[in-house]
Amino acid sequence: MEQARARGAAAPQLFASPHVPEQAGPADSRPARPLIPEQARVVPERARGEHTHSEPPAPGTAPRTVQRHSVRGQILEALRTALVDGELAPGEVYSAPVLGERFGVSATPVREAMQQLAIEGAVEVVPNRGFRVTVRSARELAELAEVRALIEIPVMLRLARTIPAARWSALRPLADATAAAAATGDRAAYAETDRAFHRALLALSGNQQLVAVADDLHRRSQWPLTSAPVTRRADLVADAAEHMALLEALVAEDLTVVQSLVREHLTGAEG
């Protein structure tokens, strides 16, 4: 399982908590990841053309409003990426104003994004200080894997009996995307493509509530343990290969192999 294969050197810390100086991490074969991809970078509000009382809109143009929800969404995704990459260190407290400076936005959208992460269990509110990244245990990861297996294995077995082979084959591009992300060693990109592949598989059940619950469990299982070593590129590549093997077993309607592959993919050595 992807969360059971963490090995290698400690992840670099991109963020610095308010009371701890920012430190350079160990050498990594991947290029340094920007806080937000350049094409999606949040720019200061006035640069986005926000209408203010002192700056009327140009004649003949309608006033433009700041898309707060869009900004918060960008911040939320960037923070989720930082969680997966281990750049938000478990147990550390981060203040919204400090992170806001790094994003080039006010503290408000950062605080709103952190509140969503608190709902998801990734962080907890520390009054008058900010948000502490949740310290997670190996037992918690094992429990998440067990629950995912209880949900996904019966669904996969049922679908293997009813879904035509062509429908499974149509998902090969998603499996290829996970392999491409794994080959780069980009943990966050792999996490996104991995979830997309699993969502597409489960979506064939027609049960959107099941898909939503399973995706939430999957996302939680991708957050690293305290002081967890970096997942190696080879581990990501091995996980991605299991996606294609699972598709082949589903096309062949080999229920024994399907059950074995899903359990191994979710629980690794524990399965």
Side-chain angles (χ1 to χ4, degrees):
M1 184 184 73
E2 55 268 23
Q3 66 267 24
R5 294 193 176 99
R7 306 183 188 94
Q13 183 173 333
L14 175 62
F15 295 92
S17 68
H19 56 282
V20 179
E22 188 172 1
Q23 298 178 348
D28 195 332
S29 58
R30 299 179 300 129
R33 169 188 295 278
L35 201 55
I36 302 181
E38 191 64 38
Q39 65 270 24
R41 192 176 300 278
V42 179
V43 297
E45 294 179 350
R46 292 172 69 87
R48 289 196 301 268
E50 181 186 15
H51 174 50
T52 65
H53 291 295
S54 59
E55 247 182 47
T61 63
R64 290 184 290 173
T65 57
V66 176
Q67 299 296 318
R68 173 178 293 281
H69 182 72
S70 175
V71 173
R72 182 184 63 180
Q74 291 180 50
I75 301 298
L76 179 59
E77 288 309 307
L79 291 173
R80 283 172 171 165
T81 295
L83 280 168
V84 171
D85 271 348
E87 295 165 357
L88 286 174
E92 290 294 324
V93 177
Y94 299 90
S95 80
V98 170
L99 292 180
E101 289 181 5
R102 287 185 172 270
F103 285 120
V105 299
S106 70
T108 300
V110 177
R111 191 172 291 112
E112 291 172 347
M114 282 292 201
Q115 291 288 354
Q116 176 59 36
L117 290 176
I119 293 173
E120 296 175 5
V123 301
E124 57 185 359
V125 178
V126 180
N128 302 319
R129 292 185 61 197
F131 300 85
R132 178 182 290 111
V133 179
T134 302
V135 176
R136 311 175 69 238
S137 65
R139 177 174 179 176
E140 182 181 351
L141 283 182
E143 290 173 349
L144 285 168
E146 181 180 3
V147 175
R148 289 185 65 201
L150 289 172
I151 293 174
E152 296 192 31
I153 289 176
V155 173
M156 287 294 103
L157 292 177
R158 174 167 57 85
L159 293 177
R161 301 185 187 98
T162 58
I163 298 297
R167 296 286 297 279
W168 296 121
S169 297
L171 299 182
R172 288 184 184 274
L174 292 175
D176 289 338
T178 66
T184 68
D186 188 327
R187 297 181 295 276
Y190 181 77
E192 291 182 16
T193 56
D194 185 32
R195 289 202 317 276
F197 176 79
H198 283 265
R199 283 197 303 268
L201 289 178
L202 296 175
L204 293 176
S205 70
N207 188 331
Q208 293 305 308
Q209 297 303 313
L210 180 148
V211 174
V213 169
D215 190 53
D216 179 64
L217 292 171
H218 193 168
R219 185 190 300 279
R220 291 170 185 255
S221 72
Q222 292 172 332
W223 302 332
L225 295 171
T226 305
S227 303
V230 175
T231 303
R232 299 182 306 173
R233 181 182 305 183
D235 299 325
L236 298 181
V237 170
D239 272 338
E242 291 175 356
H243 293 156
M244 191 60 72
L246 176 58
L247 283 182
E248 292 173 355
L250 288 166
V251 168
E253 298 184 28
D254 191 330
L255 302 186
T256 300
V257 174
V258 168
Q259 179 169 343
S260 175
L261 282 172
V262 174
R263 183 175 299 280
E264 172 63 22
H265 188 65
L266 298 181
T267 63
E270 298 163 5

